[in-house]
């Protein structure tokens, strides 16, 4: 993931389709668009709203962060942006989400609108109810702590 202020103000959030103004915080995920690799940008809250939990169906996919293979039926966290989907193992969440949380928290309060409140509550993510109790505990243990939660 890429996380930082918009450099020009020309990018558009791939979830809500609103412009991301120059200097506004944005989160990017690489996607293959129109024959090339490009970054797809989202507002922080739109990015966090696009998280879902699913189970690997084939045992052939890999964690985008670690490269480790998923076992068939293993739960995974999926981040969506436009046509791109990045699947992560639970243990990859701290290193992947911590920079996003840190960047959001480093913004001055005047720069963070009510829409940009950090919400890292996995019970709100699609698919959370499909996890076993031990998987829920494991997932919660791997979520970076955010002061704003």
């Amino acid at each position: 993931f890429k996380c930082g202020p918009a450099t020009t103000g020309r990018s558009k959030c791939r979830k809500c389709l609103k412009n991301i103004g120059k200097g506004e915080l944005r989160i990017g995920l690489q996607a293959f668009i129109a024959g090339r690799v490009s970054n797809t940008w989202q507002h922080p809250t739109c990015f966090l709203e696009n998280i879902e939990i699913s189970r690997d169906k084939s045992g052939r996919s890999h964690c985008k962060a670690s490269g480790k293979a998923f076992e068939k039926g293993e739960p995974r966290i999926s981040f969506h942006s436009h046509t791109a989907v990045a699947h992560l193992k639970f243990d990859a969440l701290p290193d992947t989400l911590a920079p996003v949380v840190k960047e959001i928290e480093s913004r001055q309060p005047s720069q963070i609108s009510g829409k940009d409140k950090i919400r890292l509550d996995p019970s709100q993510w699609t698919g959370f109810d499909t996890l076993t109790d031990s998987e829920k505990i494991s997932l919660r243990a791997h979520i970076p702590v955010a002061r704003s939660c």
Side-chain angles (χ1 to χ4, degrees), residues 41-108:
W41 299 104
Q42 296 180 64
H43 295 105
T45 51
C46 291
F47 175 78
L48 295 174
E49 288 170 1
N50 271 342
I51 300 173
E52 81 177 22
I53 301 167
S54 62
R55 293 191 179 275
D56 187 76
K57 294 178 181 146
S58 67
R60 293 186 307 239
S61 62
H62 294 79
C63 173
K64 189 76 164 180
S66 69
K68 296 177 190 171
F70 286 100
E71 293 181 24
K72 186 175 181 178
E74 182 180 356
R76 61 190 182 182
I77 307 301
S78 302
F79 297 87
H80 298 267
S81 179
H82 191 56
T83 59
V85 181
H87 303 295
L88 297 179
K89 288 183 169 275
F90 288 0
D91 63 3
L93 286 174
D95 289 339
T96 305
L97 285 181
V100 173
V101 171
K102 183 179 178 183
E103 183 68 33
I104 293 170
E105 289 183 340
S106 73
R107 308 295 275 185
Q108 295 297 324

Side-chain angles (χ1 to χ4, degrees), residues 94-140:
D95 289 339
T96 305
L97 285 181
V100 173
V101 171
K102 183 179 178 183
E103 183 68 33
I104 293 170
E105 289 183 340
S106 73
R107 308 295 275 185
Q108 295 297 324
S110 62
Q111 295 174 304
I112 300 175
S113 68
K115 183 174 170 35
D116 288 329
K117 296 265 190 248
I118 302 171
R119 286 180 294 212
L120 291 177
D121 180 3
S123 67
Q124 301 301 310
W125 299 346
T126 302
F128 181 79
D129 56 340
T130 65
L131 298 175
T132 65
D133 288 342
S134 63
E135 289 169 339
K136 289 176 183 177
I137 290 168
S138 176
L139 173 58
R140 287 185 191 280

